[in-house]
Amino acid sequence: DKALYEDPACGRAVILLGKIEQGQGNYSAAINSYKRLEAIAPEYISEILPSLQVCYEGLGQTSQLVAHLRQMIHRHHAVDLVLGVTHVLSRYDGDEAAFEFLIQEVNTSPSLRGVQCLLELDIKRHEKSHDEHLRVIKGSLDKLLTNKPVYRCVSCGFTGMEMHWCCPSCKRWSSVKPIQEFQWGASI
């Protein structure tokens, strides 16, 4: 609470409060903390997707999880959210429902990671057939995306595969943010 008093927009503090509530089994309070994160630091939403899933499952409210994620997609339309909903739909409604959802999302807002996941689902759907071309395309995308940084410091440009609350390069706090795919540039 002190960190939020000092910096009301501190995403890290909100995430930690949510994790504390979640660890104590206070899933509703944890969900409220995670909703607060969306309001003050939406760029960190991808960091709490697994925790949101645990909380909603702990409350037995998986349909509310899907609804909540869809609302966040509508407001922020980040690739991580789309992929999060895809995985939740795959788990609860099956690969076909996940595929239909994702094909619509990729058609609306194309992304390499969305196409990668779409191919993965399509291969699973047609596992018994010999669609080797899909496996080759999927393998190529996997290789292209393997070493792409996921986070970038908005202050100094440091990039990395892990979330750092304090930039290892310039030592600024809360300056490392998830990279949106359109920020990768034309190098892919």
Side-chain angles (χ1 to χ4, degrees), residues 115-159:
V115 171
Q116 180 185 35
C117 187
L118 192 60
L119 282 168
E120 183 179 316
L121 285 169
D122 203 30
I123 289 168
K124 281 171 68 177
R125 289 171 60 223
H126 300 102
E127 226 169 322
K128 298 200 176 16
S129 68
H130 299 285
D131 291 332
E132 189 58 31
H133 64 283
L134 290 178
R135 287 177 181 74
V136 169
I137 294 168
K138 169 79 169 63
S140 296
L141 269 176
D142 289 347
K143 288 176 186 173
L144 284 171
L145 294 173
T146 296
N147 295 319
K148 283 290 178 192
V150 182
Y151 300 96
R152 174 178 292 135
C153 177
V154 296
S155 179
C156 72
F158 165 83
T159 59

Short mmCIF file of all heavy atoms in Angstrom, two decimals, residues 115-159:
data_model
loop_
_atom_site.label_atom_id
_atom_site.label_comp_id
_atom_site.label_asym_id
_atom_site.label_seq_id
_atom_site.Cartn_x
_atom_site.Cartn_y
_atom_site.Cartn_z
N VAL A 115 -0.72 -15.46 -36.04
CA VAL A 115 -0.63 -16.43 -37.14
C VAL A 115 0.07 -17.70 -36.66
O VAL A 115 -0.35 -18.82 -36.99
CB VAL A 115 0.11 -15.82 -38.35
CG1 VAL A 115 0.42 -16.86 -39.40
CG2 VAL A 115 -0.72 -14.69 -38.95
N GLN A 116 1.10 -17.54 -35.84
CA GLN A 116 1.82 -18.69 -35.30
C GLN A 116 0.87 -19.58 -34.48
O GLN A 116 0.84 -20.80 -34.67
CB GLN A 116 2.97 -18.20 -34.42
CG GLN A 116 3.80 -19.29 -33.79
CD GLN A 116 4.84 -18.72 -32.83
OE1 GLN A 116 4.59 -17.73 -32.14
NE2 GLN A 116 6.00 -19.35 -32.78
N CYS A 117 0.09 -18.98 -33.63
CA CYS A 117 -0.87 -19.73 -32.81
C CYS A 117 -1.96 -20.34 -33.68
O CYS A 117 -2.40 -21.47 -33.45
CB CYS A 117 -1.46 -18.82 -31.74
SG CYS A 117 -2.51 -19.66 -30.55
N LEU A 118 -2.40 -19.60 -34.68
CA LEU A 118 -3.42 -20.10 -35.60
C LEU A 118 -2.94 -21.35 -36.32
O LEU A 118 -3.67 -22.34 -36.44
CB LEU A 118 -3.77 -19.00 -36.61
CG LEU A 118 -4.99 -19.18 -37.48
CD1 LEU A 118 -6.24 -19.31 -36.64
CD2 LEU A 118 -5.12 -18.00 -38.43
N LEU A 119 -1.71 -21.32 -36.79
CA LEU A 119 -1.14 -22.50 -37.44
C LEU A 119 -1.04 -23.68 -36.47
O LEU A 119 -1.34 -24.82 -36.83
CB LEU A 119 0.24 -22.19 -38.02
CG LEU A 119 0.24 -21.43 -39.33
CD1 LEU A 119 1.64 -20.92 -39.64
CD2 LEU A 119 -0.27 -22.32 -40.45
N GLU A 120 -0.64 -23.40 -35.26
CA GLU A 120 -0.54 -24.45 -34.24
C GLU A 120 -1.90 -25.11 -34.01
O GLU A 120 -2.01 -26.34 -33.97
CB GLU A 120 -0.02 -23.84 -32.94
CG GLU A 120 0.19 -24.82 -31.82
CD GLU A 120 0.73 -24.13 -30.58
OE1 GLU A 120 1.64 -23.28 -30.71
OE2 GLU A 120 0.23 -24.42 -29.49
N LEU A 121 -2.95 -24.30 -33.89
CA LEU A 121 -4.30 -24.85 -33.71
C LEU A 121 -4.76 -25.62 -34.94
O LEU A 121 -5.38 -26.67 -34.83
CB LEU A 121 -5.29 -23.72 -33.40
CG LEU A 121 -5.24 -23.14 -32.00
CD1 LEU A 121 -6.08 -21.88 -31.92
CD2 LEU A 121 -5.70 -24.16 -30.97
N ASP A 122 -4.45 -25.09 -36.12
CA ASP A 122 -4.86 -25.77 -37.34
C ASP A 122 -4.16 -27.11 -37.49
O ASP A 122 -4.77 -28.10 -37.91
CB ASP A 122 -4.59 -24.89 -38.56
CG ASP A 122 -5.48 -25.24 -39.74
OD1 ASP A 122 -6.61 -25.72 -39.52
OD2 ASP A 122 -5.04 -25.05 -40.87
N ILE A 123 -2.90 -27.17 -37.13
CA ILE A 123 -2.17 -28.44 -37.17
C ILE A 123 -2.79 -29.44 -36.20
O ILE A 123 -2.98 -30.61 -36.53
CB ILE A 123 -0.67 -28.21 -36.88
CG1 ILE A 123 -0.01 -27.50 -38.07
CG2 ILE A 123 0.04 -29.53 -36.58
CD1 ILE A 123 1.39 -26.97 -37.79
N LYS A 124 -3.15 -28.97 -35.00
CA LYS A 124 -3.81 -29.86 -34.02
C LYS A 124 -5.15 -30.36 -34.54
O LYS A 124 -5.52 -31.51 -34.33
CB LYS A 124 -4.01 -29.12 -32.69
CG LYS A 124 -2.75 -29.05 -31.85
CD LYS A 124 -2.90 -28.14 -30.65
CE LYS A 124 -3.84 -28.63 -29.58
NZ LYS A 124 -3.88 -27.72 -28.41
N ARG A 125 -5.88 -29.48 -35.23
CA ARG A 125 -7.19 -29.85 -35.77
C ARG A 125 -7.06 -30.91 -36.87
O ARG A 125 -7.95 -31.72 -37.05
CB ARG A 125 -7.90 -28.62 -36.36
CG ARG A 125 -8.38 -27.64 -35.32
CD ARG A 125 -8.88 -26.34 -35.92
NE ARG A 125 -9.99 -26.54 -36.82
CZ ARG A 125 -10.10 -25.93 -37.99
NH1 ARG A 125 -9.17 -25.10 -38.41
NH2 ARG A 125 -11.14 -26.14 -38.75
N HIS A 126 -5.97 -30.88 -37.61
CA HIS A 126 -5.77 -31.80 -38.73
C HIS A 126 -4.59 -32.73 -38.48
O HIS A 126 -3.85 -33.07 -39.39
CB HIS A 126 -5.54 -31.02 -40.03
CG HIS A 126 -6.69 -30.14 -40.38
ND1 HIS A 126 -6.65 -28.78 -40.16
CD2 HIS A 126 -7.89 -30.41 -40.92
CE1 HIS A 126 -7.81 -28.26 -40.56
NE2 HIS A 126 -8.58 -29.22 -41.02
N GLU A 127 -4.40 -33.14 -37.24
CA GLU A 127 -3.24 -33.92 -36.86
C GLU A 127 -3.07 -35.19 -37.68
O GLU A 127 -1.97 -35.60 -38.00
CB GLU A 127 -3.31 -34.28 -35.37
CG GLU A 127 -2.02 -34.03 -34.68
CD GLU A 127 -2.14 -34.13 -33.18
OE1 GLU A 127 -3.14 -33.69 -32.60
OE2 GLU A 127 -1.20 -34.65 -32.59
N LYS A 128 -4.15 -35.82 -38.03
CA LYS A 128 -4.06 -37.09 -38.73
C LYS A 128 -3.79 -36.93 -40.23
O LYS A 128 -3.38 -37.86 -40.90
CB LYS A 128 -5.34 -37.88 -38.50
CG LYS A 128 -5.52 -38.21 -37.03
CD LYS A 128 -6.46 -39.34 -36.84
CE LYS A 128 -6.66 -39.82 -35.46
NZ LYS A 128 -6.36 -39.21 -34.34
N SER A 129 -4.02 -35.73 -40.75
CA SER A 129 -3.77 -35.51 -42.18
C SER A 129 -2.28 -35.21 -42.38
O SER A 129 -1.52 -35.03 -41.43
CB SER A 129 -4.64 -34.38 -42.72
OG SER A 129 -4.22 -33.16 -42.18
N HIS A 130 -1.89 -35.13 -43.62
CA HIS A 130 -0.48 -34.90 -43.93
C HIS A 130 -0.27 -33.48 -44.45
O HIS A 130 0.18 -33.28 -45.57
CB HIS A 130 -0.01 -35.94 -44.96
CG HIS A 130 -0.12 -37.33 -44.44
ND1 HIS A 130 0.75 -37.84 -43.53
CD2 HIS A 130 -1.01 -38.32 -44.70
CE1 HIS A 130 0.42 -39.09 -43.23
NE2 HIS A 130 -0.66 -39.39 -43.94
N ASP A 131 -0.59 -32.50 -43.63
CA ASP A 131 -0.41 -31.10 -44.01
C ASP A 131 0.99 -30.64 -43.63
O ASP A 131 1.19 -29.79 -42.77
CB ASP A 131 -1.47 -30.22 -43.32
CG ASP A 131 -2.86 -30.47 -43.85
OD1 ASP A 131 -2.96 -30.87 -45.02
OD2 ASP A 131 -3.83 -30.24 -43.11
N GLU A 132 1.98 -31.25 -44.27
CA GLU A 132 3.38 -30.94 -43.96
C GLU A 132 3.70 -29.48 -44.22
O GLU A 132 4.50 -28.87 -43.51
CB GLU A 132 4.32 -31.85 -44.75
CG GLU A 132 5.76 -31.75 -44.32
CD GLU A 132 6.00 -32.08 -42.85
OE1 GLU A 132 5.25 -32.91 -42.28
OE2 GLU A 132 6.91 -31.49 -42.26
N HIS A 133 3.04 -28.87 -45.21
CA HIS A 133 3.31 -27.46 -45.51
C HIS A 133 2.97 -26.57 -44.32
O HIS A 133 3.65 -25.59 -44.04
CB HIS A 133 2.59 -27.01 -46.78
CG HIS A 133 1.10 -27.06 -46.67
ND1 HIS A 133 0.37 -28.22 -46.75
CD2 HIS A 133 0.21 -26.06 -46.46
CE1 HIS A 133 -0.91 -27.95 -46.61
NE2 HIS A 133 -1.04 -26.65 -46.43
N LEU A 134 1.91 -26.93 -43.58
CA LEU A 134 1.56 -26.14 -42.39
C LEU A 134 2.65 -26.27 -41.32
O LEU A 134 3.00 -25.30 -40.66
CB LEU A 134 0.22 -26.60 -41.81
CG LEU A 134 -1.02 -26.27 -42.63
CD1 LEU A 134 -2.25 -26.83 -41.95
CD2 LEU A 134 -1.15 -24.78 -42.82
N ARG A 135 3.18 -27.46 -41.16
CA ARG A 135 4.24 -27.67 -40.18
C ARG A 135 5.51 -26.88 -40.56
O ARG A 135 6.20 -26.34 -39.71
CB ARG A 135 4.55 -29.15 -40.04
CG ARG A 135 3.47 -29.92 -39.29
CD ARG A 135 3.79 -31.42 -39.23
NE ARG A 135 2.76 -32.17 -38.55
CZ ARG A 135 1.55 -32.46 -39.03
NH1 ARG A 135 1.21 -32.04 -40.22
NH2 ARG A 135 0.69 -33.15 -38.33
N VAL A 136 5.81 -26.81 -41.85
CA VAL A 136 6.98 -26.07 -42.32
C VAL A 136 6.78 -24.57 -42.05
O VAL A 136 7.68 -23.89 -41.55
CB VAL A 136 7.25 -26.34 -43.82
CG1 VAL A 136 8.30 -25.38 -44.36
CG2 VAL A 136 7.68 -27.78 -44.02
N ILE A 137 5.60 -24.07 -42.37
CA ILE A 137 5.30 -22.65 -42.13
C ILE A 137 5.37 -22.36 -40.63
O ILE A 137 5.98 -21.38 -40.21
CB ILE A 137 3.92 -22.27 -42.71
CG1 ILE A 137 3.95 -22.37 -44.23
CG2 ILE A 137 3.52 -20.86 -42.26
CD1 ILE A 137 2.57 -22.29 -44.87
N LYS A 138 4.78 -23.22 -39.84
CA LYS A 138 4.79 -23.05 -38.38
C LYS A 138 6.22 -23.08 -37.86
O LYS A 138 6.62 -22.25 -37.04
CB LYS A 138 3.95 -24.14 -37.71
CG LYS A 138 4.09 -24.25 -36.21
CD LYS A 138 3.29 -23.23 -35.48
CE LYS A 138 3.21 -23.47 -33.99
NZ LYS A 138 4.43 -23.43 -33.25
N GLY A 139 7.03 -24.02 -38.32
CA GLY A 139 8.43 -24.10 -37.89
C GLY A 139 9.21 -22.85 -38.26
O GLY A 139 10.03 -22.37 -37.47
N SER A 140 8.94 -22.32 -39.44
CA SER A 140 9.62 -21.09 -39.87
C SER A 140 9.24 -19.92 -38.97
O SER A 140 10.10 -19.13 -38.56
CB SER A 140 9.27 -20.77 -41.32
OG SER A 140 9.75 -21.78 -42.18
N LEU A 141 7.96 -19.80 -38.69
CA LEU A 141 7.52 -18.72 -37.79
C LEU A 141 8.13 -18.88 -36.40
O LEU A 141 8.55 -17.90 -35.79
CB LEU A 141 5.99 -18.71 -37.67
CG LEU A 141 5.24 -17.85 -38.66
CD1 LEU A 141 3.74 -18.03 -38.49
CD2 LEU A 141 5.61 -16.40 -38.53
N ASP A 142 8.17 -20.11 -35.91
CA ASP A 142 8.77 -20.36 -34.60
C ASP A 142 10.21 -19.85 -34.57
O ASP A 142 10.63 -19.19 -33.62
CB ASP A 142 8.75 -21.85 -34.25
CG ASP A 142 7.36 -22.38 -33.95
OD1 ASP A 142 6.43 -21.57 -33.76
OD2 ASP A 142 7.21 -23.61 -33.90
N LYS A 143 10.96 -20.17 -35.61
CA LYS A 143 12.36 -19.75 -35.68
C LYS A 143 12.48 -18.22 -35.76
O LYS A 143 13.34 -17.62 -35.12
CB LYS A 143 13.06 -20.39 -36.87
CG LYS A 143 13.31 -21.87 -36.68
CD LYS A 143 13.91 -22.49 -37.93
CE LYS A 143 14.00 -24.00 -37.78
NZ LYS A 143 14.43 -24.65 -39.03
N LEU A 144 11.62 -17.60 -36.54
CA LEU A 144 11.66 -16.14 -36.67
C LEU A 144 11.35 -15.43 -35.35
O LEU A 144 11.92 -14.39 -35.04
CB LEU A 144 10.67 -15.67 -37.73
CG LEU A 144 11.06 -15.88 -39.18
CD1 LEU A 144 9.88 -15.57 -40.09
CD2 LEU A 144 12.24 -15.00 -39.54
N LEU A 145 10.44 -16.01 -34.58
CA LEU A 145 9.98 -15.35 -33.37
C LEU A 145 10.75 -15.75 -32.11
O LEU A 145 10.62 -15.11 -31.07
CB LEU A 145 8.49 -15.61 -33.16
CG LEU A 145 7.59 -14.98 -34.22
CD1 LEU A 145 6.15 -15.42 -34.05
CD2 LEU A 145 7.69 -13.47 -34.19
N THR A 146 11.58 -16.80 -32.20
CA THR A 146 12.26 -17.32 -31.02
C THR A 146 13.12 -16.28 -30.32
O THR A 146 13.07 -16.14 -29.11
CB THR A 146 13.14 -18.53 -31.40
OG1 THR A 146 12.27 -19.57 -31.84
CG2 THR A 146 13.95 -19.02 -30.22
N ASN A 147 13.90 -15.54 -31.02
CA ASN A 147 14.83 -14.61 -30.39
C ASN A 147 14.38 -13.16 -30.44
O ASN A 147 15.18 -12.26 -30.18
CB ASN A 147 16.22 -14.75 -31.02
CG ASN A 147 16.80 -16.11 -30.74
OD1 ASN A 147 16.67 -16.63 -29.64
ND2 ASN A 147 17.41 -16.72 -31.74
N LYS A 148 13.13 -12.92 -30.78
CA LYS A 148 12.62 -11.56 -30.79
C LYS A 148 12.43 -11.09 -29.35
O LYS A 148 11.85 -11.80 -28.53
CB LYS A 148 11.29 -11.46 -31.53
CG LYS A 148 11.45 -11.49 -33.02
CD LYS A 148 12.10 -10.22 -33.48
CE LYS A 148 12.34 -10.22 -34.95
NZ LYS A 148 13.20 -9.14 -35.37
N PRO A 149 12.92 -9.91 -29.00
CA PRO A 149 12.72 -9.42 -27.64
C PRO A 149 11.24 -9.19 -27.37
O PRO A 149 10.47 -8.87 -28.28
CB PRO A 149 13.50 -8.10 -27.61
CG PRO A 149 13.65 -7.71 -29.03
CD PRO A 149 13.63 -8.96 -29.85
N VAL A 150 10.88 -9.36 -26.13
CA VAL A 150 9.49 -9.20 -25.72
C VAL A 150 9.29 -7.89 -24.96
O VAL A 150 8.19 -7.38 -24.89
CB VAL A 150 9.06 -10.42 -24.86
CG1 VAL A 150 7.61 -10.34 -24.45
CG2 VAL A 150 9.32 -11.72 -25.61
N TYR A 151 10.39 -7.37 -24.41
CA TYR A 151 10.32 -6.15 -23.61
C TYR A 151 11.36 -5.14 -24.09
O TYR A 151 12.42 -5.51 -24.58
CB TYR A 151 10.60 -6.47 -22.13
CG TYR A 151 9.61 -7.44 -21.55
CD1 TYR A 151 9.91 -8.80 -21.49
CD2 TYR A 151 8.38 -7.02 -21.08
CE1 TYR A 151 8.99 -9.70 -20.98
CE2 TYR A 151 7.47 -7.90 -20.55
CZ TYR A 151 7.78 -9.25 -20.51
OH TYR A 151 6.87 -10.14 -20.00
N ARG A 152 11.03 -3.85 -23.94
CA ARG A 152 11.95 -2.76 -24.34
C ARG A 152 11.85 -1.63 -23.31
O ARG A 152 10.75 -1.26 -22.89
CB ARG A 152 11.60 -2.23 -25.71
CG ARG A 152 12.45 -1.00 -26.09
CD ARG A 152 12.17 -0.46 -27.48
NE ARG A 152 12.62 -1.46 -28.43
CZ ARG A 152 11.93 -1.86 -29.50
NH1 ARG A 152 10.76 -1.31 -29.75
NH2 ARG A 152 12.40 -2.76 -30.31
N CYS A 153 12.99 -1.09 -22.96
CA CYS A 153 13.03 0.08 -22.08
C CYS A 153 12.67 1.31 -22.91
O CYS A 153 13.31 1.59 -23.93
CB CYS A 153 14.41 0.25 -21.45
SG CYS A 153 14.54 1.73 -20.42
N VAL A 154 11.69 2.06 -22.46
CA VAL A 154 11.27 3.25 -23.20
C VAL A 154 12.24 4.41 -22.98
O VAL A 154 12.20 5.39 -23.70
CB VAL A 154 9.83 3.68 -22.82
CG1 VAL A 154 8.82 2.62 -23.22
CG2 VAL A 154 9.71 3.99 -21.34
N SER A 155 13.14 4.25 -22.02
CA SER A 155 14.11 5.29 -21.74
C SER A 155 15.40 5.13 -22.55
O SER A 155 15.83 6.07 -23.20
CB SER A 155 14.44 5.29 -20.24
OG SER A 155 15.38 6.28 -19.94
N CYS A 156 15.97 3.93 -22.53
CA CYS A 156 17.28 3.76 -23.18
C CYS A 156 17.26 2.79 -24.37
O CYS A 156 18.24 2.69 -25.09
CB CYS A 156 18.32 3.28 -22.17
SG CYS A 156 18.11 1.56 -21.64
N GLY A 157 16.16 2.06 -24.57
CA GLY A 157 16.07 1.15 -25.70
C GLY A 157 16.52 -0.27 -25.41
O GLY A 157 16.47 -1.14 -26.29
N PHE A 158 16.95 -0.57 -24.19
CA PHE A 158 17.33 -1.93 -23.82
C PHE A 158 16.20 -2.89 -24.19
O PHE A 158 15.02 -2.57 -24.02
CB PHE A 158 17.59 -2.01 -22.30
CG PHE A 158 17.63 -3.40 -21.75
CD1 PHE A 158 18.79 -4.15 -21.82
CD2 PHE A 158 16.50 -3.98 -21.19
CE1 PHE A 158 18.85 -5.44 -21.33
CE2 PHE A 158 16.54 -5.27 -20.69
CZ PHE A 158 17.71 -6.01 -20.77
N THR A 159 16.54 -4.05 -24.75
CA THR A 159 15.54 -5.06 -25.05
C THR A 159 15.91 -6.37 -24.39
O THR A 159 17.09 -6.65 -24.15
CB THR A 159 15.39 -5.30 -26.57
OG1 THR A 159 16.65 -5.72 -27.10
CG2 THR A 159 14.90 -4.06 -27.29
#
